[in-house]
Amino acid sequence: MYPSKSSLSVISLACVAALALGGCSAGSDTSAQDAGGKSSASSQASGSANSSSSAQSSASAGQSGAASSESPSATPSPSADTSAKIFDGKRYVALYGAPGNPALGVLGEQGPAESVTRVKQLVEQYQPHSQEKVVPAFEVIATTASSVPGADGDYSDEASVESLKPLVDEAEKNGVYVVLDIQPGRSDFLSQIKRYEELLKRPNVGVGIDPEWRLLPWQVHLEQIGSVTAEEVNQSLAYLAELTAKNGLPQKMVVVHQFTQSMISNRELLDVSHPELALTLHADGHGTPGLKKDTYASLLQGLSPQIKPSWKNFYDEDTPMLTPAETYALTPKPWVVTYQ
């Protein structure tokens, strides 16, 4: 399920994905587990939430120095269009994955035009349950966690801008919002986000920050859940806010993925002050409905009211997957619902 750098088996990935919050052993019953991590791009192994938490304390110190020291300094341009708010009267339903790679999610199971049709069909199922307009969206894996370091040593495969353009072009023509999902490995979020500045200058393109796949210099995927500090995330937020302002773009969506508390250290310090950005916390785990709901409630405790709650449905790993009506019956009602 990795890209070309990996040869890991699907069975291994399915097991380690289930480890995230409840622990896992070979042949264990997933119905007795909490909502696990993603079995997408490169699902990682981990211990229990407690063991992840102890690892996070060292991650907090290490990543502050590992993150890029470069940060934007310009005052937001007065030409920035902050009147068009992402979540004003709008909710979103998205397909997740990588173009041309069905192993990484449903977005890769068909071509760009067919993906537009598929996500719009999902939107039609959600609209009767929403007072707000439901907008179609794609979350596109731009950089993918890898099992091997590769030539640059960062354990992340970076898709080229050119390879993503056909899908982004088709989305833009059809009113589909696009989120570029970043899985940086041993790199940092800001460095990888900057690779896609050309695409981020488009009005319908935002960013997904995926801490599960953020490694410290001595870590590798499939041995632990990754983690990120609020400080590193804030560097990316500052860059995106400045880019949006300088180019007079409408407000950008930033999706922050999380399924264990330890994945984001000092989460309360996330900078929610940028009017150019709309932040949403994506409860990104799979499992039984009851366990997923418990995880959702836990992740939202102490969350800034300026960060909207979001949810992911898994076609294969959820047992069973919630229907559109059940998904929108969640409390609080999710603003972004992603399908993988």
Side-chain angles (χ1 to χ4, degrees), residues 14-253:
C15 179
V16 297
L19 281 165
L21 293 182
C24 175
S25 60
S28 62
D29 180 3
T30 56
S31 67
Q33 299 165 357
D34 205 339
K38 292 168 289 183
S39 61
S40 65
S42 326
S43 295
Q44 297 174 341
S46 70
S48 66
N50 288 335
S51 63
S52 295
S53 180
S54 63
Q56 177 65 28
S57 59
S58 61
S60 299
Q63 285 178 347
S64 295
S68 171
S69 60
E70 186 174 354
S71 60
S73 58
T75 302
S77 165
S79 63
D81 179 9
T82 58
S83 63
K85 303 293 187 183
I86 285 288
F87 293 116
D88 276 1
K90 291 176 287 187
R91 295 181 189 268
Y92 297 79
V93 172
L95 298 181
Y96 179 92
N101 194 335
L104 300 185
V106 296
L107 192 54
E109 292 180 355
Q110 59 280 307
E114 293 79 12
S115 290
V116 168
T117 299
R118 184 171 180 176
V119 74
K120 286 188 173 182
Q121 289 171 345
L122 270 175
V123 165
E124 290 175 0
Q125 296 176 43
Y126 275 85
Q127 191 61 70
H129 309 289
S130 176
Q131 293 182 346
E132 299 85 7
K133 179 182 179 180
V134 182
V135 178
F138 295 152
E139 184 163 9
V140 185
I141 304 171
T143 68
T144 310
S146 175
S147 64
V148 294
D152 54 10
D154 67 359
Y155 288 85
S156 179
D157 286 332
E158 299 86 5
S160 68
V161 169
E162 290 303 316
S163 70
L164 298 179
K165 276 184 176 179
L167 185 60
V168 176
D169 288 344
E170 192 69 24
E172 189 170 17
K173 287 190 299 183
N174 288 278
V176 176
Y177 199 83
V178 175
V179 174
L180 301 179
D181 188 53
I182 304 297
Q183 302 176 2
R186 291 185 184 177
S187 183
D188 62 273
F189 283 103
L190 180 57
S191 297
Q192 289 206 335
I193 288 169
K194 286 183 174 181
R195 290 174 173 266
Y196 302 99
E197 184 169 300
E198 178 182 345
L199 296 177
L200 290 168
K201 288 180 179 179
R202 299 194 185 193
N204 71 315
V205 179
V207 166
I209 291 176
D210 222 339
E212 181 181 2
W213 315 114
R214 172 65 170 97
L215 300 176
L216 294 172
W218 59 88
Q219 294 178 334
V220 294
H221 299 299
L222 296 176
E223 290 187 3
Q224 70 292 298
I225 296 171
S227 58
V228 70
T229 64
E231 178 184 2
E232 181 173 327
V233 176
N234 287 343
Q235 291 175 356
S236 296
L237 298 180
Y239 164 77
L240 290 168
E242 182 181 8
L243 180 72
T244 302
K246 277 187 172 181
N247 291 278
L249 298 169
Q251 192 179 54
K252 283 196 178 297
M253 186 189 299

